[in-house]
Amino acid sequence: MMRRKSTIFLAMVFSFLSMSVAYGAEEKTATKLKYVKIEVEAAAPEELYGEYIPVLMYHHFADRNMESGNGMVSTKEELEDHLRYFRSEGYQVITLEKLDSLLRRAENDHSLNGMGLGLQDKYICITMDDGYYSNYEIAYPLFKKYNSPAAVFAVTDFITEQYGLKKFTWEQAEEMDEAGWLKVYSHSADHVPVEAGQEEAFLAGMQRSEATLAENLQKAHVKAMAYPNGQYTAESQKLLEDDGYVMQFTIEKGVITRQTIRNAIPRLTVESGMSGEDVIRMAEMAAEKAFAAEREGNAK
């Protein structure tokens, strides 16, 4: 028990130190909202609509404006701008359950060629990591307002014991999960990244995390997780797949195509200061890069 406590404490300290710069920005005087402008646009983004799905990764939210480039914190105003823009551009924000369904459809459609998903609509998926209170206080009301579902990968021990920066409670998690606008999945029990040779211990921690989710939440979900620090091994991928996980999320940059491995699903980090247009441009550029690589391969 003492060893587990020590491991959790060290993970908490590491997580806190890695985010201290980001969260320190909250104490600064609020300034006028500044958007990071992604100047480069995809050449013909409409040609790839329906062929890929971007998964966005957020962490923490704040009422006050943050400095550009702060990858950990987005403001309430920015998130609302994102949701409005997604809607105006015809994107459907989907749950992980819907994502799983769409992937299964593409995987079983033998008429498809190449890496495109062959979908008729534009989809986007929103995720958050860690389980901060701001997910409940700031983001959750906006998801309800815009009928946009999202997923949060929570560090379950940190929720139970309220380690580190303020997290939502299990009562709040159940409220969000029951409403369906913000469903809770596992980001491990203690945020200790998996290392080579430690995969069995990591699996045991994931099983403990899933048991905690089942104990505190009423609804069953698709079995999905996000790796702490995005770190994984081939053995951890296999063990989790064998344990029933149908989606394993990383922090590798990219979009989902038919070539995406379910055990290493990429995500796009939303940085502080980004507008909704910037977020979509980022996704379109990532898609263009992926499909350009396929075209180059076919030309050889």
Side-chain angles (χ1 to χ4, degrees):
M1 182 65 180
M2 286 300 295
R3 180 178 297 176
R4 186 176 77 83
K5 288 282 188 179
S6 299
T7 302
I8 293 172
F9 177 74
L10 289 174
M12 178 194 72
V13 170
F14 177 81
S15 178
F16 178 80
L17 289 176
S18 66
M19 295 185 290
S20 59
V21 175
Y23 286 97
E26 285 192 80
E27 302 304 321
K28 296 183 179 180
T29 303
T31 57
K32 185 178 180 180
L33 181 64
K34 296 179 181 179
Y35 283 150
V36 174
K37 293 297 183 183
I38 297 179
E39 300 292 347
V40 182
E41 296 183 61
E46 64 281 354
E47 293 181 2
L48 295 178
Y49 290 158
E51 302 297 343
Y52 66 93
I53 300 174
V55 179
L56 306 180
M57 179 176 65
Y58 296 82
H59 281 82
H60 180 50
F61 301 93
D63 282 315
R64 290 173 286 180
N65 296 338
M66 310 305 297
E67 293 182 346
S68 297
N70 186 335
M72 304 299 291
V73 185
S74 296
T75 68
K76 178 179 180 180
E77 183 177 357
E78 288 165 0
L79 178 59
E80 185 155 22
D81 180 74
H82 300 168
L83 297 175
R84 279 197 302 257
Y85 191 79
F86 300 161
R87 176 185 287 181
S88 71
E89 291 298 301
Y91 280 88
Q92 294 183 40
V93 183
I94 58 174
T95 63
L96 295 191
E97 285 70 27
K98 178 67 173 179
L99 175 60
D100 176 52
S101 174
L102 292 172
L103 292 182
R104 290 184 188 279
R105 182 194 305 176
E107 290 162 355
N108 294 322
D109 188 345
H110 301 297
S111 69
L112 296 175
N113 295 310
M115 62 192 297
L117 293 173
L119 304 173
Q120 300 302 312
D121 299 303
K122 296 189 290 185
Y123 298 101
I124 197 164
C125 195
I126 296 175
T127 68
M128 288 152 283
D129 283 4
D130 301 329
Y132 297 108
Y133 177 68
S134 64
N135 298 168
Y136 173 80
E137 180 185 37
I138 295 175
Y140 173 52
L142 289 177
F143 295 141
K144 288 196 296 183
K145 178 179 178 180
Y146 289 93
N147 296 324
S148 298
V152 56
F153 295 109
V155 183
T156 51
D157 284 358
F158 289 7
I159 303 297
T160 300
E161 302 179 38
Q162 288 295 301
Y163 276 127
L165 296 163
K166 188 175 182 181
K167 310 299 190 299
F168 52 69
T169 65
W170 282 120
E171 289 75 17
Q172 291 162 343
E174 185 174 15
E175 175 192 336
M176 296 187 293
D177 201 79
E178 184 68 25
W181 298 116
L182 189 52
K183 297 182 179 180
V184 185
Y185 306 83
S186 179
H187 194 32
S188 81
D190 50 20
H191 205 270
V192 176
V194 62
E195 296 182 1
Q198 300 297 317
E199 290 90 353
E200 291 285 354
F202 182 76
L203 174 61
M206 288 300 303
Q207 291 171 336
R208 180 160 55 85
S209 178
E210 288 293 338
T212 302
L213 288 174
E215 179 183 348
N216 288 280
L217 304 176
Q218 300 301 313
K219 288 188 175 181
H221 302 320
V222 64
K223 200 168 184 180
M225 58 82 68
Y227 281 101
N229 296 352
Q231 187 173 318
Y232 62 91
T233 69
E235 182 64 16
S236 72
Q237 291 175 304
K238 182 180 184 304
L239 286 174
L240 291 184
E241 181 179 4
D242 290 346
D243 200 52
Y245 285 93
V246 298
M247 291 185 287
Q248 301 174 35
F249 290 85
T250 72
I251 58 173
E252 294 170 358
K253 185 175 181 179
V255 295
I256 295 176
T257 68
R258 283 213 314 142
Q259 291 186 350
T260 298
I261 300 172
R262 279 177 173 260
N263 293 350
I265 297 176
R267 292 187 288 173
L268 298 170
T269 300
V270 179
E271 295 187 355
S272 173
M274 293 181 77
S275 67
E277 183 177 1
D278 290 328
V279 174
I280 293 302
R281 280 191 180 184
M282 173 175 63
E284 291 174 345
M285 289 296 295
E288 182 178 73
K289 181 178 179 180
F291 282 86
E294 181 190 44
R295 287 192 292 269
E296 290 175 5
N298 291 337
K300 291 182 180 179

